[in-house]
Amino acid sequence: MKKIILNIMATTGIALVVLSFIAIYYGGSLICIDTVFQVLGLNIVIYMGMHIFNHFEYRYSVLETGLKLIYILTLVLISGRIFGWYSNISGLVLVSMTVVVFGVCMCLDTLNLLEEVNSINTLIGRDKDV
């Protein structure tokens, strides 16, 4: 549970930083506090769905990644309609931003996985010495 909360907060932070860069590019000067909580709520819903996705075993990792990306894009586009994001940002920019955030999160997950593999290998090496 602690890891899920950490991932939600990290993803929310990454999304807000990317959103800030896009806002600067378009000449914006602020992000409304509503947006912060909307992004947080969206990330909670996304991670609830990801928890369900993780219960299934996929034959191909590309299929799993593609399904997750489609799920996230669908939620982001629906949230854009619900929260009125399209009055400030186009759908194409929203999709691009989502893909960037997804890519960054995938890279961070890969780095975390490599760290866990190294930790396991270290433990295995200790067991062989005993």
Side-chain angles (χ1 to χ4, degrees):
M1 184 66 167
K2 182 177 165 183
K3 186 176 180 179
I4 291 174
I5 292 172
L6 182 65
N7 286 343
I8 290 170
M9 293 300 170
T11 305
T12 301
I14 292 166
L16 291 174
V17 168
V18 172
L19 182 61
S20 297
F21 282 125
I22 290 172
I24 288 170
Y25 178 77
Y26 282 104
S29 59
L30 61 99
I31 294 178
C32 295
I33 194 72
D34 298 5
T35 306
V36 174
F37 289 109
Q38 291 167 359
V39 171
L40 176 63
L42 174 60
N43 281 314
I44 290 170
V45 172
I46 287 171
Y47 273 91
M48 285 172 32
M50 290 295 184
H51 184 70
I52 294 169
F53 270 105
N54 290 335
H55 287 295
F56 297 103
E57 195 154 326
Y58 301 92
R59 186 175 208 146
Y60 304 105
S61 62
V62 174
L63 175 66
E64 178 183 5
T65 303
L67 288 173
K68 285 180 179 180
L69 182 58
I70 290 169
Y71 165 73
I72 292 169
L73 283 171
T74 302
L75 284 178
V76 168
L77 293 174
I78 291 170
S79 296
R81 172 75 76 192
I82 292 170
F83 297 128
W85 295 343
Y86 296 120
S87 63
N88 299 318
I89 194 169
S90 72
L92 183 61
V93 172
L94 194 58
V95 167
S96 300
M97 186 179 97
T98 302
V99 171
V100 167
V101 171
F102 183 76
V104 169
C105 290
M106 290 296 291
C107 289
L108 290 175
D109 281 345
T110 303
L111 290 174
N112 188 31
L113 184 62
L114 288 173
E115 184 178 310
E116 287 179 17
V117 167
N118 288 336
S119 174
I120 290 169
N121 285 339
T122 302
L123 291 173
I124 290 171
R126 287 185 192 161
D127 288 343
K128 286 183 180 179
D129 294 338
V130 175

